[in-house]
Amino acid sequence: MAPGQVPIVVLKEGTSETKGNQAQRNNITAAKTIAEIVRTSLGPRGMDKMLVDTLGDVTITNDGATILKEIDVQHPAAKMMVEISKSVDNEVGDGTTSTVVLAGSLLERAEELITKNVHPTVVVDGFKKAAQKAIDTLKDIAMKVDPVDKAFLSKIARTSMASKMVAADSKELADMVVSAVLAVAEKSGDQYKVDVDNIKVEKKAGGGIHDTKFIHGIVLDKEVVHGGMPKRIENAKIALVNAALEIEKTEMSAEIRISDPHQMQQFIDEENRMLKAMVDKIAAAGANVLLCQKGIDDIAQHYLAKAGILAVRRIKESDMYKLSRATGARVINNLDELTANDLGYAKLVEERKVETDKWVFVEECKNPKSVSILVRGGSQRVVDEAERSVHDAIMAVKDVVEYPYVLVGGGAPEALASLKLREWAATLSGREQLAAEKFADGIETIPLALAENAGMDPLDTQAQLRSKSSTGKARYGIDVLNGKVADLAAKDIYEPLAVKEQVINAATEAACMILRIDEVIAASKSKDMPKPGGGHGGGSMGGSDMDM
């Protein structure tokens, strides 16, 4: 440095900086590592992962999104892979593993091009065009189906569950899932809309997976409040009340002065009379079941029991909304306004013992717009995994009801799409052609990963797949259970087009985003973090007041 020159410090001390090829290689390696973790859990022959968190809680699953959610990922590029699996899970619910595997595979192929000095921007452009082409190809080969055809929707649900632990019971579960989704589907114009929140999935260890029940109504994990109340009511007229059956404290601080004991007695009697008046209003409206979001006073419980009303208290707000949709009752905030018109109907309300807990079942509501599935299983781990499988199946069926196009599963559409992409790539000129070919290789990874997980030889499988796909029909994929390439439409293996589109879009976007990064600047983690709110003495407090 020349004398007299002062060094310029641009970045804070301790900041680490990785540039150029090194940064790209690090990011790609991190993302590929994440893809490697879930690759072995793809498909019906995929292996499960056991994840142990910091508290020692164990999760056993092969659901891509769950695996990545439970791992504590540090590297920023790896975090992006976790994000895409989450977003695919929220959007379409299935295909989370495929997305991550595809993104990892695209990055691997891109790395080969970058080492040959193809600029990342060229690769990104090629990938984006190829992704669009792949989606167009899938749309061409997709089959339109009837969105309310139970038999076909059941095939979709079964395919979704085939790769999960509940595969053996998938037939019964699939029928429940389809019934649940169709119960809450609402028609608007020519299309259907499904709000998955209206399907309540409750889980409880005990019994076997085959003990899972579909309930035309709602299951409440609460018990009846008073021992003297009836535990079973048929033809229930249900009042949903969002007000406490208790004597409310005054808003202001009030005091009552009592000069002789009679006044004390009058005071207690008056409280009793007020509580009895509340119960009388409920009975007068003709209700024989009271479901309350707030508390119920002991004396009110006594009067309710005398009136033969079954009552449950402190129900979650989300459950109150579902109960309202299921029974047709209106949620009342003021008891004075309760009338017979506000009551809901269920054929049966009953308290039952579920393992060690008592739960209340509100069953057989007429055309309920909110329903429940009570998942059972041998142990807590099994029930957790069964619940995840049911959730994925519900989402897959919902996708088809809302967007009624399906493809054959088992890697068949990917095999055909990669073939069409190679033909299309030959018409391109320049380096984009290389990127498009690599994209075709990348998308072929999904059927190959399925084959590897089933113990098949990847090279033979690839050769067979390519020759079968050249017939132009997207029917030939990996028959995982028999370990060969076969016609999967004959085996009723179907997947929603919505899931495939989302998988390709999400994976391509994540891969392109990671490829575009050529520099990583990481701030140093400071040893002593300043306490929140402090830091600048009194001055900062004054400032924060100004902003309020």
Side-chain angles (χ1 to χ4, degrees), residues 6 109 130 184 210 215 227 232 299 317 362 389 445 447 467 472 520:
V6 181
R109 303 291 185 275
V184 302
H210 54 269
I215 290 149
R232 174 191 172 95
I299 296 169
E317 187 170 358
V362 179
S389 313
T445 313
S467 73
V520 178

Side-chain angles (χ1 to χ4, degrees), residues 328-400:
R330 281 200 14 228
V331 180
I332 294 295
N333 290 325
N334 183 351
L335 278 177
D336 295 336
E337 293 178 7
L338 181 65
T339 65
N341 296 340
D342 299 321
L343 301 182
Y345 175 81
K347 198 159 180 201
L348 178 65
V349 174
E350 184 178 20
E351 179 184 88
R352 290 184 204 145
K353 207 158 180 165
V354 182
E355 214 186 353
T356 52
D357 299 340
K358 290 177 183 167
W359 285 9
V360 173
F361 289 70
V362 179
E363 286 189 336
E364 296 178 52
C365 310
K366 52 175 185 273
N367 56 26
K369 286 282 163 252
S370 186
V371 292
S372 305
I373 294 176
L374 175 59
V375 180
R376 306 298 303 271
S379 73
Q380 194 56 46
R381 309 277 158 270
V382 174
V383 181
D384 289 347
E385 180 64 352
E387 183 204 23
R388 281 190 283 272
S389 313
V390 167
H391 168 261
D392 280 11
I394 287 173
M395 291 295 278
V397 173
K398 161 196 170 271
D399 295 335
V400 177

Side-chain angles (χ1 to χ4, degrees), residues 463-541:
Q464 279 184 348
L465 254 185
R466 286 185 180 180
S467 73
K468 286 271 173 65
S469 296
S470 60
T471 58
K473 284 200 171 67
R475 300 170 67 103
Y476 294 97
I478 313 293
D479 178 0
V480 182
L481 303 175
N482 299 318
K484 57 179 194 285
V485 175
D487 177 355
L488 294 182
K491 298 200 180 288
D492 284 343
I493 293 174
Y494 290 100
E495 293 183 278
L497 173 61
V499 172
K500 294 288 179 208
E501 283 186 17
Q502 184 76 16
V503 164
I504 292 176
N505 277 330
T508 311
E509 281 168 11
C512 292
M513 197 182 234
I514 289 172
L515 287 175
R516 278 207 152 101
I517 298 166
D518 74 335
E519 193 163 335
V520 178
I521 301 166
S524 62
K525 290 199 166 57
S526 58
K527 305 274 190 301
D528 44 357
M529 295 293 284
K531 291 188 179 71
H536 300 293
S540 72
M541 294 305 284

Side-chain angles (χ1 to χ4, degrees), residues 220-243:
L220 298 171
D221 52 349
K222 304 275 179 206
E223 55 184 305
V224 174
V225 289
H226 190 282
M229 287 178 179
K231 296 285 187 279
R232 174 191 172 95
I233 288 190
E234 290 182 14
N235 294 329
K237 295 189 175 58
I238 300 167
L240 296 183
V241 177
N242 180 13

Side-chain angles (χ1 to χ4, degrees), residues 165-211:
M165 193 170 63
V166 296
D169 297 286
S170 64
K171 189 173 181 326
E172 293 82 13
L173 290 177
D175 292 342
M176 287 180 207
V177 164
V178 172
S179 303
V181 173
L182 291 180
V184 302
E186 294 183 0
K187 195 165 188 179
S188 56
D190 295 341
Q191 288 182 315
Y192 285 87
K193 277 269 168 275
V194 178
D195 182 357
V196 186
D197 289 342
N198 285 326
I199 302 173
K200 184 179 186 192
V201 182
E202 277 285 356
K203 57 184 177 185
K204 192 75 178 146
I209 292 176
H210 54 269
D211 294 325

